[in-house]
Amino acid sequence: MAALTHDVPRQTVADKIDLLMDNLVNIKDETGEFLLHLEDGRIIDTKGWAGWEWTHGVGLFGMWRYFEQTGDRKALDIIKGWFADRFAEGTPTKNINTVAPFITLAYLYEYEPDPSYIPYLDTWCEWLMAPDGLPKTEEGGFQHIVYNDENPGEMWDDTLMMSVLPLAKIGLLLNRPHYVEEAKRQFLVHIKYLFDRKTGLWFHGWDFNGRHNFAEALWARGNCWVTIAIPEIIEILDLPQGDAFRTFLIDTLEAQVKTLAETQDESGLWHTLVMDPTSYLEASATAGFAYGILKGVRKGYLPRKYEAVGIKAVKGVLDNIDATGELQQVSFGTAMGDTPQFYKDIRLTSMPYGQSLAICALGEFLRTYI
């Protein structure tokens, strides 16, 4: 281990995380080109820190994981400030992605119980579960409804991170085992339709209407949500060795990571289309892969041989953090594409999830010094 990690001083990593957090809360869309304009006139800011989207949910999660490990008060204050400000403004339209912040709120409640949090956790999870709440696909899958598209009959791979993990965590917190069972079912139905048996990677989406996987894109950031979500759900539910659901998830994760190890670029990064070396290298997905792989190894879900893959990815992430704390080579939010070229054409820009996935990766990397 020492040979792999000690060429990067621990303090250097901590300093980078501090820079990443500063940049995260100060990102602004200076031109307006990355604002989401809805038909009803609403404008959704997915880039700035004052919005409420999956981008912010992942940011909160990354800082929580860092606070959990280090006790860093700066991270905690940012998290608490974000929730206070957003609740004062009023909660947004319910969709798959706007559920994402609630996993961090559940962890925050465990740390500092505040009764005012419970109605939010209850209301949003009941919406996920209710027959007249979140629309469901065939076989009960969570339909990937977002601000600007209901996506009828569609399941996307990022749903597990954005809504299913919060449902499982809140189910335990509120002692609602039916939430937990539903979360487990969602993992299984998503694996059934999104897992590529040839590569072990995941397709971006599945459409029950046309019975297809759209462009059959093995898109990197979509895959990284899975690399994160599988170790997280096993840990959240504290699934014991020998549990069939745990074993099935670990087999699924290892199949994915085996191909990731074979396709990693010399820089430590992965291409935005994992199997297509003509697509650009993408750092936010790389950070997600690094986090999930290193955590999977640490928890004993993955063989130790994959630790080197995760550490190489971390070093690639470090190489792409500039002097202001911005993670470079981050692709903008990506809708479902019908062609591989669609993914190659997505713009690169600083985004909250780039910052937060880098925080996740570097925070997990810090554990290798212990």
Side-chain angles (χ1 to χ4, degrees), residues 234 239-251 299-301:
I234 296 171
L239 299 172
Q241 289 191 12
D243 176 89
F245 182 59
R246 170 189 161 122
T247 301
F248 184 76
L249 290 177
I250 288 174
D251 289 345
K299 299 288 290 188
Y301 310 148

Side-chain angles (χ1 to χ4, degrees), residues 14-218:
D15 291 343
K16 288 288 189 183
I17 292 174
D18 194 61
L19 276 174
L20 287 162
M21 287 194 293
D22 282 337
N23 192 285
L24 169 62
V25 300
N26 290 299
I27 293 173
K28 290 183 174 62
D29 185 351
E30 304 289 357
T31 65
E33 64 182 311
F34 296 106
L35 297 175
L36 181 63
H37 294 264
L38 305 184
E39 291 183 359
D40 61 10
R42 286 178 297 161
I43 298 175
I44 307 300
D45 184 0
T46 63
K47 189 178 176 81
W49 186 238
W52 185 314
E53 249 284 34
W54 67 271
T55 52
H56 310 94
V58 177
L60 295 164
F61 176 80
M63 285 185 289
W64 178 261
R65 282 288 181 246
Y66 181 59
F67 166 73
E68 187 178 57
Q69 180 186 165
T70 64
D72 185 276
R73 297 297 302 187
K74 177 178 176 179
L76 181 64
D77 288 345
I78 293 171
I79 292 167
K80 293 173 68 173
W82 187 90
F83 279 111
D85 291 344
R86 300 294 80 72
F87 289 159
E89 295 169 356
T91 54
T93 303
K94 294 180 178 68
N95 63 45
I96 283 289
N97 289 335
T98 56
V99 179
F102 288 105
I103 189 170
T104 302
L105 190 67
Y107 280 114
L108 183 59
Y109 179 86
E110 283 185 324
Y111 178 72
E112 291 182 350
D114 182 337
S116 71
Y117 295 164
I118 296 297
Y120 293 99
L121 299 171
D122 170 78
T123 299
W124 286 69
C125 282
E126 282 299 294
W127 173 77
L128 286 173
M129 297 290 293
D132 60 350
L134 170 70
K136 310 299 191 295
T137 68
E138 291 179 34
E139 301 186 32
F142 280 4
Q143 181 176 309
H144 197 84
I145 182 172
V146 295
Y147 274 119
N148 58 341
D149 201 332
E150 292 190 2
N151 297 315
E154 296 181 19
M155 294 193 307
W156 296 17
D157 51 10
D158 36 338
T159 295
L160 297 177
M161 179 76 188
M162 307 312 165
S163 284
V164 179
L165 287 182
L167 182 66
K169 178 62 184 176
I170 295 166
L172 294 177
L173 181 70
L174 301 183
N175 191 26
R176 296 180 183 172
H178 59 297
Y179 287 6
V180 173
E181 292 306 308
E182 183 59 35
K184 290 162 72 174
R185 181 168 80 126
Q186 291 303 319
F187 267 83
L188 294 174
V189 74
H190 279 73
I191 291 170
K192 181 177 180 180
Y193 287 100
L194 298 179
F195 180 79
D196 176 29
R197 289 173 295 178
K198 293 180 180 179
T199 64
L201 300 174
W202 286 48
F203 298 117
H204 189 183
W206 167 259
D207 181 9
F208 277 103
N209 298 311
R211 316 297 295 191
H212 59 73
N213 290 110
F214 297 92
E216 298 191 355
L218 302 172

